[in-house]
Amino acid sequence: MAAVAEQTTAFALAEKSKLIKSLRRFDMVFFTVCAFVGLDTLGTVASNGAQGFFWLVLLALLFVAPYMLVMAEVGSAFTMEGGPYEWVKLAFGRVHAGIAAILYWVTNPLWVGGSLAFIATDAWRANVFGIGHGSLGDYVFKLLFIWISIGVAIVSLRYGKWIPNLGGILRIVVLGFFSITVLIYGIKHGVAGFGASDLSPTKAVFLGLVPVLLFNYVGFELQNGAAEEMDNPQHDVPVSVLQSGIIGVLLYVIPIFGIILVLPTSQVTGIGGFIDAVTKTFSVYGGAAHTLLVLMTICFVGTLVTSGAVWMIGSDRIQAVAAYDGSFFPWFGVFNRKLGTPVRVNVMSGVVSSIFSIAAVAFFNNGEDSAFQVVLDIAISTTLISYVWIFPAALKLRFTHPEVARPYRVPGRYGMWIGSLLITAWVTLGSFVAVFPGVLEKIFGVGYNFKDNWGVGRGRFELYTLVTLAVILVFGIVGYFAGSDVRREAVMIEGDRPEPTELPPGALPVP
């Protein structure tokens, strides 16, 4: 079995020489846990009550499990920097890879500057100290939140990796302590509970919740954005994917089960569900309840910061790889020689995120405007759309590159076919529902009031959605044409590619 023959560029080889091996298996597990487990959507899932829990568990079996197996194979066999971009390029060509990369990347600055920054601000003002809507403090808090996330992505991965590591551990501590508190609360006060009939699935909840659950359950490929900075990706990727997947699913299932036990569904809000449950259950600590609530809120905000940071670390690298490979503006393909990070893409992400956040506060009623919510919704759904390229690429590589050594293979004669097609079907469904909500509801006879759900009519919704997608795609296509000179300097590497430098402890690369 051979290593993959890779077509790259002279520019890429120059930038790869700046990469520094720094990710060990421990780092990769907590990096992926940090990417996989987002506390910002716990309330949205829990607000659907027992049905939300039912679909959470079912998708863990029918989406997460095959997703882990497929990513373990492709991630350990094709270990080039930029992971998903390179997989799609090998399978379908640079044009498709460039589109997948821009869709994968653009979600994250808009998610950080939109959803995460606003949820963090709301939690902080409710439980730590007041921040007036639209005040100077409001702008400062959101911008600090954004640029802390960006700063983690900018610093050398040798040191920056400890923030995602801390974020992963923080999730275990926060959700573990919360789960113990729920148990104490249930023993002392009883629980709201739910019957077996409440678990009965309905088409309405399924169609409304699928995109949220799928958005929760992605991230196993993100670590491969830094594949050539891993110590031993062939051996560590399968193990880290398995371990982080098990930890991640438990970190969703246990606390959401606790929330729906403690709070009646009517009391769980989409944004504040987790903090609502914390506020209620922490009453068991008497006079210490407020102090513990403040500490839990600070930790909650910390998990949101690390969520943004880890996705920036991975997706910014993927976009930088697209640039030095000639599929995006070449200027963004430069890695900093001292830090070994794509600082130019990092800064672009921070600027986009900041502009988006400032505009939401200043011009769109602190993000409450319906038009802004529609644009935000589709913008943060583009990563889901990118998987329509990434997952089939994993399947195709099994047959177009059978000679490549695979330390791990999806088990079973048809395992790769079943797993890849199943997860592709899920993300296709989720993407369709995100872009065209209400269509499947109409087909299946499910009541759906479009104006009540979105605050705008279908015509305006689709206009905002399709224009947003068009702008993103045009940006990516223009970037692709801008990389034509880079693509002309093609280089073929037959298996043995230049390896990143491994530095002694405490050392920095020479400029």
Side-chain angles (χ1 to χ4, degrees), residues 480-500:
Y480 180 84
F481 281 108
S484 59
D485 288 343
V486 172
R487 294 195 300 275
R488 291 191 187 100
E489 299 182 4
V491 177
M492 180 63 74
I493 302 175
E494 297 290 346
D496 295 322
R497 67 178 68 87
E499 291 292 337

Side-chain angles (χ1 to χ4, degrees), residues 21-78:
K21 282 183 177 288
S22 55
L23 286 179
R24 272 52 174 182
R25 184 181 297 175
F26 173 89
D27 307 315
M28 293 160 63
V29 170
F30 286 101
F31 183 98
T32 305
V33 167
C34 195
F36 187 71
V37 181
L39 271 65
D40 54 309
T41 54
L42 286 180
T44 302
V45 178
S47 65
N48 286 276
Q51 279 195 64
F53 181 76
F54 172 85
W55 290 116
L56 183 79
V57 174
L58 189 68
L59 278 180
L61 298 173
L62 298 182
F63 177 72
V64 176
Y67 176 26
M68 288 193 302
L69 298 178
V70 171
M71 290 300 104
E73 174 171 324
V74 72
S76 58
F78 299 88

Side-chain angles (χ1 to χ4, degrees), residues 378 461-474:
I378 188 58
F461 177 95
E462 297 302 349
L463 176 65
Y464 295 148
T465 294
L466 296 178
V467 167
T468 300
L469 286 174
V471 169
I472 293 168
L473 291 175
V474 168

Side-chain angles (χ1 to χ4, degrees), residues 242-300:
L242 176 63
Q243 292 178 347
S244 61
I246 293 172
I247 294 170
V249 168
L250 291 176
L251 289 179
Y252 275 126
V253 168
I254 294 172
I256 287 178
F257 182 72
I259 290 174
I260 64 175
L261 275 181
V262 170
L263 293 178
T265 303
S266 60
Q267 294 183 25
V268 182
T269 64
I271 290 178
F274 178 68
I275 295 298
D276 287 346
V278 168
T279 302
K280 183 167 185 176
T281 58
F282 276 33
S283 63
V284 300
Y285 298 119
H290 178 70
T291 300
L292 289 173
L293 175 61
V294 170
L295 290 174
M296 185 65 86
T297 301
I298 293 171
C299 291
F300 174 72

Side-chain angles (χ1 to χ4, degrees), residues 156-185:
S156 172
L157 191 57
R158 184 185 193 88
Y159 305 108
K161 69 182 183 181
W162 288 105
I163 302 302
N165 286 350
L166 176 62
I169 295 169
L170 192 61
R171 282 160 171 75
I172 295 173
V173 172
V174 167
L175 295 175
F177 184 65
F178 169 73
S179 300
I180 292 170
T181 305
V182 168
L183 179 62
I184 297 171
Y185 183 92

